Amino acid sequence: MDTNALPAYPSPAEMQEALSPAPPESCDVLVVGGGINGVGIARDLAGRGLKVLLVEQHDLAAHTSSSSTKLVHGGLRYLEHHEFSLVRKALQEREVLLRSAPHIIKPMRFVMPHDPHMRPAWLIRLGLFLYDHLARREVLPGSRGVALRGHRLGAPLQARFKRGFVYSDGWVDDARLVVLNAMDARERGATVLTRTRCVRATRGEQGWTARLQRDPADAQGQASLHTVKARMLVNAAGPWAHAFLREVANAPGGEALTQHSLRLVKGSHIVVPRLFEHEHAYIFQARDGRIIFAIPYEQKFTLIGTTDVEIHLMPDQARITEEETAYLCEQASLYFKAPLRPDMVLWSYAGVRPLLEDAKADASSVTRDYLLETCTLGAPLMTVWGGKITTYRKLAEEAAGQIATLLGEADRAWTAKARLPGGDLDAWIGPPVRPDRDMLAFVSRWRHKHPWIPLAVAERWAKAYGARAEQVLGGAASVAALGHEVAPGLYECELRYLIRHEWARSADDVLWRRSKLGLHFTADERQRVSDWMEAARNGIPTPESALADGAMLMAEAT
């Protein structure tokens, strides 16, 4: 190996900054919660020039925001519940998000087989007409009918489905969307602290005093407790929002900080071997009224979900049950020719959606809209209730506008036309035309510039990092210069990049959130990644090259 060509190890100062950036003594806004809403608000505020600190008790997108159905969509089924405002808002955001991050968000066509036992075809057609026209479309094509018999879209389905409908929405790498927003927030001046818990927030007349507790393993020898003063506090703790108000925020006089409460609804998904060859997704209507998606996933797999089960336990304890797995297999088997069995499931996950309480509604029909609640008795407090990935940017824009007003700042909305890190492809392809075509052009030019990178690696990097793939490469000009291949297609230079720039600290951060490589690796390969990350984090030398190099990565910081 040409060790002289390896990307440079981080200096002690760089590693200290990556692992344990110094918390500020004060800030304008303290945002609690590193899910999609928290990072979106932090990004918007930082772009307006406010001094922002965001803290997340675990990893970015560790829970709800990495456990979605991976869709940027208007929510076709919400039309049934007459949530026209929510659907319109979400439909408007689809193409805004597509343009902001074409590397991690892409258009997707959905096939809806018509089941004669369900809704009449004319009613579905009317719903799709509304879906097509509630918001302006420039990129996504409209809906149409399709004869399924003899068509490739009908090939995986049971013969009883003779006709169906095709419409457009989008797919998103949800966890990477969170990370990119956090990166953009940091690059605009925000401080982002992962594995940092706000254990106490005390409200005064002029501001908040918050006590932060850092994960000892992340503190790198520094004091794990830190006090910060903030002019305003934003509670974006998602499923923990109500618990945060009840257990952490200290209200003078004991007055209630909110009149709202959350309903926690678990959505579970399964991943099975690929069930069809084309790139369309399917949307099925279950007999109990729920919606089930079957989505092409990670080239070799199909993602199926979701369930809607109300829970009453801590959100990080939510797991898919055998009953949910059986339910998803049963519902999918009512549509696909090949029966789906629980023993075919390769991976599963469950996320908890924090929905606004509505005791009268069943779990699947509770609104996915959001509410921003502001309390100004003393220093201002904003709590984010509900929400969904598709509307996160709009939520953040509205929240930042209200916060700016409360703090006496100008309301300067800016994110509608801004691009997320890696989404600015102009230097490669010229002025953007339309996101899907722009991305195809970028991948082609990236591969042409670096023909020596293994094809699968080059395409994965281009689609995960966009224009930031050059930073992952780190100036390397040969495969040897990428560093040791820790697992198939995963080189040390990428791991270094994820530690330096994307807050990766563990194998799970890398394998299941920054990527989905965990699906493609064997247990032994996943363990090799875990060993490398552990050695890198703890500075423990090992005989293997990968681990020795990983130890060197962090030894300089200790």
Coordinates of all heavy atoms in Angstrom, one line a residue, residues 321-405:
T321 N -43.0 -6.3 16.6 CA -43.5 -7.5 17.2 C -43.7 -8.6 16.2 O -43.8 -8.3 15.0 CB -44.8 -7.3 18.0 OG1 -45.8 -6.9 17.1 CG2 -44.6 -6.2 19.0
E322 N -43.8 -9.8 16.6 CA -44.1 -10.9 15.7 C -45.4 -10.7 15.0 O -45.6 -11.1 13.9 CB -44.0 -12.2 16.5 CG -42.7 -12.7 17.0 CD -42.7 -14.0 17.6 OE1 -43.8 -14.6 17.7 OE2 -41.6 -14.5 18.1
E323 N -46.4 -10.1 15.8 CA -47.7 -9.9 15.2 C -47.6 -8.9 14.1 O -48.3 -9.0 13.1 CB -48.6 -9.4 16.3 CG -49.0 -10.4 17.4 CD -47.9 -10.7 18.4 OE1 -46.9 -9.9 18.4 OE2 -48.0 -11.7 19.1
E324 N -46.8 -7.8 14.3 CA -46.7 -6.8 13.2 C -46.0 -7.4 12.0 O -46.4 -7.1 10.8 CB -45.9 -5.6 13.7 CG -46.6 -4.7 14.7 CD -45.8 -3.6 15.2 OE1 -44.8 -3.9 16.0 OE2 -46.0 -2.5 14.8
T325 N -45.0 -8.2 12.2 CA -44.3 -8.9 11.1 C -45.3 -9.7 10.3 O -45.4 -9.7 9.1 CB -43.1 -9.7 11.5 OG1 -42.2 -8.8 12.2 CG2 -42.4 -10.4 10.4
A326 N -46.1 -10.5 11.0 CA -47.0 -11.4 10.4 C -48.1 -10.6 9.7 O -48.5 -11.0 8.5 CB -47.7 -12.3 11.5
Y327 N -48.5 -9.5 10.2 CA -49.5 -8.6 9.6 C -49.0 -8.1 8.3 O -49.7 -8.1 7.3 CB -49.9 -7.5 10.6 CG -50.7 -6.4 9.9 CD1 -52.1 -6.5 9.8 CD2 -50.1 -5.2 9.5 CE1 -52.8 -5.5 9.2 CE2 -50.9 -4.2 8.9 CZ -52.2 -4.4 8.8 OH -53.0 -3.4 8.2
L328 N -47.8 -7.5 8.3 CA -47.3 -7.0 7.0 C -47.1 -8.1 6.0 O -47.4 -7.8 4.8 CB -45.9 -6.3 7.3 CG -46.0 -5.0 8.1 CD1 -44.6 -4.5 8.5 CD2 -46.8 -3.9 7.4
C329 N -46.6 -9.2 6.4 CA -46.5 -10.3 5.4 C -47.9 -10.8 4.8 O -48.0 -11.0 3.6 CB -45.8 -11.5 6.0 SG -44.1 -11.3 6.4
E330 N -48.9 -10.8 5.7 CA -50.2 -11.2 5.3 C -50.8 -10.2 4.3 O -51.4 -10.6 3.3 CB -51.1 -11.4 6.6 CG -52.5 -11.7 6.2 CD -53.4 -11.7 7.5 OE1 -52.9 -11.4 8.6 OE2 -54.6 -12.0 7.3
Q331 N -50.7 -8.9 4.6 CA -51.3 -7.9 3.8 C -50.6 -7.9 2.4 O -51.3 -7.7 1.4 CB -51.2 -6.5 4.5 CG -52.0 -6.4 5.8 CD -53.5 -6.8 5.6 OE1 -54.1 -6.5 4.6 NE2 -54.0 -7.6 6.5
A332 N -49.3 -8.0 2.4 CA -48.6 -8.0 1.1 C -48.9 -9.2 0.3 O -49.0 -9.2 -0.9 CB -47.0 -7.9 1.4
S333 N -49.1 -10.3 1.0 CA -49.5 -11.6 0.3 C -50.8 -11.6 -0.4 O -51.1 -12.4 -1.2 CB -49.4 -12.8 1.3 OG -48.1 -12.9 1.8
L334 N -51.7 -10.6 0.1 CA -53.0 -10.5 -0.6 C -52.9 -9.8 -1.9 O -53.8 -9.9 -2.7 CB -53.9 -9.6 0.3 CG -54.3 -10.2 1.7 CD1 -55.1 -9.2 2.5 CD2 -55.1 -11.5 1.4
Y335 N -51.7 -9.3 -2.2 CA -51.5 -8.6 -3.5 C -50.5 -9.3 -4.4 O -50.7 -9.4 -5.6 CB -51.1 -7.1 -3.3 CG -52.3 -6.2 -2.8 CD1 -52.7 -6.2 -1.5 CD2 -52.9 -5.5 -3.8 CE1 -53.7 -5.4 -1.1 CE2 -54.0 -4.7 -3.4 CZ -54.4 -4.6 -2.0 OH -55.4 -3.8 -1.6
F336 N -49.4 -9.7 -3.8 CA -48.3 -10.3 -4.6 C -48.6 -11.8 -4.9 O -49.2 -12.5 -4.1 CB -47.0 -10.2 -3.9 CG -46.4 -8.8 -3.9 CD1 -46.1 -8.2 -2.7 CD2 -46.1 -8.2 -5.1 CE1 -45.6 -6.9 -2.7 CE2 -45.6 -6.9 -5.1 CZ -45.3 -6.3 -3.9
K337 N -48.2 -12.3 -6.1 CA -48.3 -13.7 -6.4 C -47.6 -14.6 -5.4 O -48.1 -15.6 -5.0 CB -47.8 -13.9 -7.8 CG -48.6 -13.4 -9.0 CD -47.9 -13.7 -10.3 CE -48.7 -13.2 -11.5 NZ -48.0 -13.4 -12.8
A338 N -46.4 -14.2 -5.2 CA -45.5 -15.0 -4.3 C -45.9 -14.7 -2.8 O -45.7 -13.5 -2.4 CB -44.1 -14.8 -4.6
P339 N -46.3 -15.7 -2.1 CA -46.6 -15.4 -0.7 C -45.4 -14.9 0.1 O -44.2 -15.3 -0.2 CB -47.1 -16.7 -0.1 CG -47.5 -17.5 -1.3 CD -46.5 -17.1 -2.4
L340 N -45.6 -14.0 1.0 CA -44.5 -13.5 1.8 C -44.6 -14.1 3.2 O -45.7 -14.1 3.9 CB -44.6 -11.9 1.9 CG -43.4 -11.1 2.3 CD1 -42.3 -11.4 1.4 CD2 -43.7 -9.7 2.4
R341 N -43.5 -14.6 3.7 CA -43.5 -15.3 5.0 C -42.6 -14.6 6.0 O -41.6 -14.0 5.6 CB -43.0 -16.8 4.9 CG -43.8 -17.6 3.9 CD -43.2 -19.0 3.9 NE -41.8 -19.0 3.8 CZ -41.1 -19.0 2.6 NH1 -41.8 -18.9 1.5 NH2 -39.8 -19.1 2.6
P342 N -42.9 -14.6 7.3 CA -42.0 -14.0 8.3 C -40.5 -14.4 8.2 O -39.6 -13.7 8.5 CB -42.6 -14.3 9.6 CG -44.1 -14.5 9.3 CD -44.1 -15.1 7.9
D343 N -40.3 -15.7 7.8 CA -38.9 -16.2 7.8 C -38.1 -15.6 6.6 O -36.9 -15.8 6.5 CB -38.8 -17.7 7.8 CG -39.5 -18.3 6.5 OD1 -39.9 -17.6 5.6 OD2 -39.6 -19.6 6.5
M344 N -38.8 -14.8 5.7 CA -38.1 -14.2 4.6 C -37.6 -12.8 5.0 O -36.8 -12.2 4.3 CB -39.1 -14.0 3.4 CG -39.6 -15.3 2.8 SD -40.9 -15.0 1.6 CE -40.1 -14.0 0.4
V345 N -38.0 -12.3 6.2 CA -37.6 -11.0 6.6 C -36.1 -11.0 7.0 O -35.6 -11.7 7.8 CB -38.4 -10.5 7.9 CG1 -37.9 -9.2 8.4 CG2 -39.9 -10.4 7.5
L346 N -35.3 -10.1 6.3 CA -33.9 -9.9 6.6 C -33.6 -8.9 7.6 O -32.5 -8.9 8.2 CB -33.2 -9.6 5.2 CG -33.4 -10.5 4.1 CD1 -32.9 -10.0 2.8 CD2 -32.8 -11.9 4.4
W347 N -34.4 -7.9 7.7 CA -34.2 -6.8 8.6 C -35.5 -6.1 8.9 O -36.4 -6.2 8.1 CB -33.2 -5.8 8.0 CG -32.8 -4.6 8.9 CD1 -32.3 -4.7 10.2 CD2 -32.9 -3.2 8.6 NE1 -32.1 -3.4 10.7 CE2 -32.4 -2.5 9.7 CE3 -33.3 -2.5 7.5 CZ2 -32.4 -1.1 9.7 CZ3 -33.3 -1.1 7.5 CH2 -32.8 -0.4 8.6
S348 N -35.6 -5.5 10.1 CA -36.8 -4.8 10.4 C -36.5 -3.6 11.3 O -35.4 -3.6 11.9 CB -37.9 -5.7 11.1 OG -37.3 -6.2 12.3
Y349 N -37.4 -2.7 11.4 CA -37.2 -1.5 12.3 C -38.5 -0.9 12.6 O -39.5 -1.1 11.9 CB -36.3 -0.5 11.6 CG -36.8 0.2 10.4 CD1 -37.6 1.3 10.4 CD2 -36.4 -0.3 9.1 CE1 -38.1 1.9 9.3 CE2 -36.9 0.3 8.0 CZ -37.7 1.4 8.0 OH -38.2 2.0 6.9
A350 N -38.5 -0.2 13.7 CA -39.7 0.4 14.2 C -39.4 1.9 14.6 O -38.4 2.1 15.3 CB -40.4 -0.3 15.4
G351 N -40.3 2.8 14.3 CA -40.1 4.2 14.7 C -41.4 4.7 15.4 O -42.5 4.2 15.1
V352 N -41.2 5.6 16.3 CA -42.4 6.1 17.0 C -42.7 7.5 16.5 O -41.9 8.4 16.6 CB -42.1 6.2 18.5 CG1 -43.3 6.8 19.3 CG2 -41.8 4.7 19.0
R353 N -43.9 7.7 16.0 CA -44.3 9.0 15.5 C -45.0 9.8 16.7 O -45.9 9.3 17.3 CB -45.3 8.8 14.4 CG -44.8 7.9 13.2 CD -45.9 7.9 12.1 NE -45.6 6.9 11.1 CZ -46.1 5.7 11.1 NH1 -47.0 5.3 11.9 NH2 -45.8 4.9 10.1
P354 N -44.5 11.0 16.9 CA -45.2 11.8 18.0 C -46.3 12.6 17.4 O -46.1 13.7 16.8 CB -44.0 12.7 18.4 CG -43.2 12.9 17.2 CD -43.3 11.6 16.4
L355 N -47.5 12.1 17.5 CA -48.7 12.8 16.9 C -49.5 13.5 17.9 O -49.6 13.1 19.1 CB -49.6 11.7 16.2 CG -48.9 10.8 15.2 CD1 -49.8 9.8 14.6 CD2 -48.2 11.6 14.1
L356 N -50.1 14.6 17.5 CA -50.9 15.4 18.4 C -52.1 14.5 18.9 O -52.7 13.8 18.2 CB -51.5 16.6 17.7 CG -50.6 17.8 17.6 CD1 -51.1 18.9 16.7 CD2 -50.4 18.4 19.0
E357 N -52.3 14.6 20.2 CA -53.4 13.7 20.9 C -54.7 14.0 20.2 O -55.2 15.1 20.0 CB -53.4 14.1 22.4 CG -54.5 13.3 23.1 CD -54.2 11.8 23.1 OE1 -53.4 11.3 23.9 OE2 -54.9 11.1 22.3
D358 N -55.4 12.9 19.9 CA -56.8 12.9 19.5 C -57.4 11.6 19.9 O -57.3 10.5 19.2 CB -56.9 13.0 17.9 CG -58.3 13.1 17.5 OD1 -59.2 12.9 18.3 OD2 -58.5 13.4 16.3
A359 N -58.0 11.6 21.1 CA -58.4 10.3 21.7 C -59.6 9.7 20.9 O -59.8 8.5 21.0 CB -58.9 10.6 23.1
K360 N -60.2 10.4 20.0 CA -61.4 9.9 19.3 C -60.9 9.2 18.0 O -61.7 8.4 17.5 CB -62.3 11.0 18.9 CG -63.0 11.7 20.1 CD -63.9 12.8 19.7 CE -64.5 13.5 20.9 NZ -65.4 14.6 20.5
A361 N -59.7 9.4 17.5 CA -59.3 8.9 16.2 C -58.5 7.6 16.5 O -57.8 7.4 17.5 CB -58.5 9.9 15.5
D362 N -58.6 6.7 15.5 CA -57.7 5.5 15.6 C -56.3 5.9 15.2 O -56.1 6.9 14.5 CB -58.3 4.4 14.7 CG -58.3 4.7 13.2 OD1 -57.2 4.7 12.6 OD2 -59.4 5.1 12.7
A363 N -55.4 5.1 15.5 CA -54.0 5.4 15.3 C -53.6 5.8 13.9 O -52.8 6.7 13.6 CB -53.0 4.3 15.8
S364 N -54.2 5.1 12.9 CA -53.8 5.4 11.5 C -54.4 6.7 11.0 O -54.0 7.1 9.9 CB -54.3 4.2 10.6 OG -55.7 4.1 10.6
S365 N -55.4 7.2 11.7 CA -56.1 8.5 11.1 C -55.7 9.7 11.9 O -56.2 10.8 11.6 CB -57.6 8.3 11.1 OG -58.1 8.0 12.4
V366 N -54.9 9.6 13.0 CA -54.5 10.8 13.7 C -53.7 11.7 12.8 O -52.8 11.2 12.0 CB -53.6 10.4 14.9 CG1 -53.2 11.6 15.7 CG2 -54.4 9.5 15.9
T367 N -53.9 13.0 12.9 CA -53.3 13.9 12.0 C -51.7 13.9 12.0 O -51.2 13.7 13.1 CB -53.7 15.4 12.2 OG1 -53.1 16.2 11.3 CG2 -53.3 15.8 13.6
R368 N -51.1 14.0 10.8 CA -49.7 14.1 10.7 C -49.2 15.6 10.6 O -48.0 15.8 10.4 CB -49.2 13.3 9.5 CG -48.8 11.9 9.8 CD -49.9 11.0 10.4 NE -49.5 9.6 10.5 CZ -50.2 8.7 11.1 NH1 -51.4 9.0 11.6 NH2 -49.9 7.5 11.2
D369 N -50.1 16.5 10.8 CA -49.8 17.9 10.7 C -49.0 18.3 12.0 O -49.0 17.6 13.0 CB -51.0 18.8 10.5 CG -50.7 20.1 9.8 OD1 -49.5 20.4 9.6 OD2 -51.7 20.8 9.4
Y370 N -48.5 19.5 12.0 CA -47.7 20.0 13.1 C -48.3 21.2 13.7 O -49.1 21.9 13.2 CB -46.2 20.3 12.7 CG -46.1 21.3 11.6 CD1 -46.2 22.7 11.9 CD2 -45.9 21.0 10.3 CE1 -46.0 23.6 10.9 CE2 -45.8 21.9 9.3 CZ -45.8 23.2 9.6 OH -45.7 24.2 8.6
L371 N -47.8 21.5 14.9 CA -48.3 22.6 15.7 C -47.1 23.2 16.4 O -46.3 22.5 17.0 CB -49.3 22.3 16.7 CG -49.8 23.4 17.7 CD1 -50.6 24.5 16.9 CD2 -50.6 22.9 18.8
L372 N -46.9 24.5 16.2 CA -45.8 25.2 16.9 C -46.4 26.0 18.1 O -47.3 26.9 17.9 CB -45.1 26.2 16.0 CG -44.5 25.6 14.8 CD1 -43.9 26.7 13.8 CD2 -43.4 24.6 15.1
E373 N -46.1 25.6 19.3 CA -46.7 26.2 20.5 C -45.6 27.1 21.2 O -44.6 26.6 21.6 CB -47.2 25.1 21.5 CG -47.9 25.7 22.7 CD -48.3 24.6 23.7 OE1 -47.7 23.6 23.7 OE2 -49.3 24.9 24.4
T374 N -45.9 28.3 21.4 CA -45.0 29.3 22.0 C -45.5 29.8 23.3 O -46.7 30.2 23.4 CB -44.7 30.4 21.0 OG1 -44.2 29.9 19.8 CG2 -43.6 31.3 21.6
C375 N -44.7 29.7 24.3 CA -45.0 30.2 25.6 C -44.1 31.4 26.0 O -42.9 31.2 25.9 CB -44.9 29.1 26.7 SG -45.3 29.6 28.3
T376 N -44.6 32.5 26.3 CA -43.8 33.7 26.5 C -43.9 34.3 27.9 O -43.7 35.4 28.1 CB -44.2 34.8 25.5 OG1 -45.6 35.1 25.6 CG2 -43.9 34.4 24.1
L377 N -44.3 33.4 28.8 CA -44.3 33.8 30.3 C -42.9 33.8 30.8 O -42.4 32.8 31.3 CB -45.2 32.9 31.1 CG -46.7 32.9 30.7 CD1 -47.4 31.9 31.5 CD2 -47.3 34.3 31.0
G378 N -42.2 34.9 30.6 CA -40.7 34.9 30.9 C -40.0 34.7 29.6 O -40.5 35.0 28.5
A379 N -38.8 34.1 29.7 CA -38.1 33.8 28.4 C -38.9 32.9 27.5 O -39.5 31.9 28.0 CB -36.7 33.1 28.8
P380 N -38.8 33.1 26.2 CA -39.7 32.4 25.3 C -39.3 30.9 25.2 O -38.1 30.6 25.2 CB -39.6 33.1 24.0 CG -38.3 33.9 24.1 CD -38.1 34.2 25.5
L381 N -40.3 30.1 25.0 CA -40.2 28.6 24.8 C -41.1 28.2 23.7 O -42.3 28.6 23.6 CB -40.6 27.9 26.1 CG -40.9 26.4 25.9 CD1 -39.6 25.6 25.7 CD2 -41.6 25.8 27.2
M382 N -40.5 27.5 22.7 CA -41.3 27.0 21.6 C -41.2 25.4 21.7 O -40.2 24.9 21.8 CB -40.8 27.4 20.2 CG -41.5 26.8 19.1 SD -40.9 27.3 17.4 CE -41.7 29.0 17.4
T383 N -42.4 24.8 21.6 CA -42.5 23.3 21.5 C -43.0 22.9 20.2 O -44.0 23.5 19.7 CB -43.3 22.8 22.6 OG1 -42.7 23.1 23.9 CG2 -43.4 21.3 22.5
V384 N -42.4 22.0 19.5 CA -42.8 21.5 18.2 C -43.6 20.2 18.5 O -43.1 19.2 19.0 CB -41.6 21.1 17.3 CG1 -42.1 20.6 16.0 CG2 -40.7 22.4 17.1
W385 N -44.9 20.2 18.1 CA -45.7 19.0 18.2 C -46.0 18.4 16.8 O -46.4 19.1 15.9 CB -47.1 19.4 18.8 CG -46.9 20.0 20.2 CD1 -47.1 21.4 20.5 CD2 -46.7 19.4 21.4 NE1 -47.0 21.6 21.9 CE2 -46.7 20.3 22.5 CE3 -46.4 18.0 21.8 CZ2 -46.5 20.0 23.8 CZ3 -46.2 17.7 23.1 CH2 -46.2 18.7 24.1
G386 N -45.8 17.1 16.7 CA -46.1 16.4 15.5 C -45.2 16.8 14.3 O -44.0 17.1 14.5
G387 N -45.7 16.6 13.1 CA -44.9 16.9 11.9 C -44.6 15.6 11.2 O -44.8 14.5 11.6
K388 N -44.0 15.8 10.0 CA -43.6 14.7 9.1 C -42.4 15.1 8.3 O -42.2 16.3 8.1 CB -44.7 14.2 8.2 CG -45.4 15.3 7.4 CD -46.6 14.7 6.6 CE -46.1 13.9 5.4 NZ -47.2 13.5 4.5
I389 N -41.7 14.2 7.8 CA -40.4 14.6 7.0 C -40.7 15.5 5.9 O -40.0 16.5 5.7 CB -39.7 13.3 6.5 CG1 -39.0 12.6 7.7 CG2 -38.8 13.6 5.4 CD1 -38.2 11.4 7.3
T390 N -41.8 15.3 5.1 CA -42.0 16.1 3.9 C -42.2 17.5 4.2 O -41.8 18.4 3.4 CB -43.3 15.5 3.2 OG1 -43.1 14.1 3.0 CG2 -43.4 16.2 1.9
T391 N -42.8 17.9 5.4 CA -43.0 19.3 5.7 C -42.0 19.9 6.7 O -42.2 21.0 7.2 CB -44.5 19.4 6.3 OG1 -44.6 18.5 7.4 CG2 -45.5 19.1 5.2
Y392 N -40.9 19.2 6.9 CA -39.9 19.7 7.9 C -39.4 21.1 7.6 O -39.2 21.9 8.4 CB -38.8 18.7 8.1 CG -37.6 19.0 7.2 CD1 -36.6 19.8 7.6 CD2 -37.5 18.5 5.9 CE1 -35.5 20.1 6.8 CE2 -36.5 18.8 5.1 CZ -35.5 19.6 5.5 OH -34.4 20.0 4.7
R393 N -39.1 21.3 6.3 CA -38.5 22.6 5.9 C -39.5 23.7 6.1 O -39.1 24.8 6.6 CB -38.1 22.6 4.4 CG -37.2 23.8 4.0 CD -37.4 24.2 2.6 NE -38.8 24.6 2.2 CZ -39.3 25.8 2.4 NH1 -38.5 26.8 2.9 NH2 -40.5 26.0 2.0
K394 N -40.8 23.5 5.8 CA -41.8 24.5 6.0 C -42.0 24.7 7.5 O -42.2 25.9 7.9 CB -43.1 24.1 5.3 CG -44.2 25.2 5.3 CD -43.7 26.3 4.4 CE -44.8 27.4 4.3 NZ -44.3 28.5 3.5
L395 N -42.0 23.7 8.3 CA -42.1 23.8 9.7 C -41.0 24.7 10.2 O -41.2 25.6 11.1 CB -42.1 22.4 10.4 CG -42.2 22.3 11.9 CD1 -42.8 20.9 12.3 CD2 -40.9 22.5 12.6
A396 N -39.8 24.3 9.8 CA -38.6 25.1 10.3 C -38.7 26.6 9.9 O -38.3 27.4 10.7 CB -37.3 24.4 9.7
E397 N -39.1 26.8 8.7 CA -39.3 28.2 8.2 C -40.3 29.0 9.1 O -40.0 30.1 9.5 CB -39.7 28.2 6.7 CG -39.7 29.6 6.1 CD -40.1 29.5 4.6 OE1 -41.3 29.2 4.3 OE2 -39.2 29.7 3.8
E398 N -41.4 28.4 9.4 CA -42.4 29.0 10.2 C -41.9 29.2 11.6 O -42.1 30.3 12.2 CB -43.7 28.2 10.2 CG -44.4 28.2 8.9 CD -45.7 27.3 8.9 OE1 -46.1 27.0 10.0 OE2 -46.2 27.0 7.8
A399 N -41.2 28.2 12.1 CA -40.7 28.3 13.5 C -39.6 29.4 13.5 O -39.6 30.2 14.5 CB -40.1 27.0 13.9
A400 N -38.7 29.4 12.6 CA -37.6 30.4 12.6 C -38.2 31.8 12.4 O -37.7 32.8 13.0 CB -36.6 30.1 11.5
G401 N -39.2 32.0 11.6 CA -39.9 33.3 11.5 C -40.4 33.8 12.8 O -40.3 34.9 13.2
Q402 N -41.1 32.9 13.5 CA -41.7 33.3 14.8 C -40.6 33.6 15.8 O -40.7 34.5 16.6 CB -42.6 32.1 15.3 CG -43.8 31.9 14.5 CD -44.7 30.8 15.1 OE1 -44.7 30.6 16.3 NE2 -45.5 30.1 14.2
I403 N -39.5 32.8 15.8 CA -38.4 33.0 16.8 C -37.8 34.3 16.5 O -37.4 35.1 17.4 CB -37.4 31.8 16.7 CG1 -38.1 30.5 17.2 CG2 -36.2 32.1 17.4 CD1 -37.3 29.3 16.9
A404 N -37.5 34.6 15.2 CA -36.9 35.9 14.9 C -37.7 37.0 15.4 O -37.2 38.0 15.9 CB -36.7 35.9 13.4
T405 N -39.0 36.9 15.2 CA -39.9 38.0 15.7 C -39.8 38.2 17.2 O -39.7 39.3 17.7 CB -41.3 37.7 15.3 OG1 -41.4 37.7 13.8 CG2 -42.3 38.8 15.8

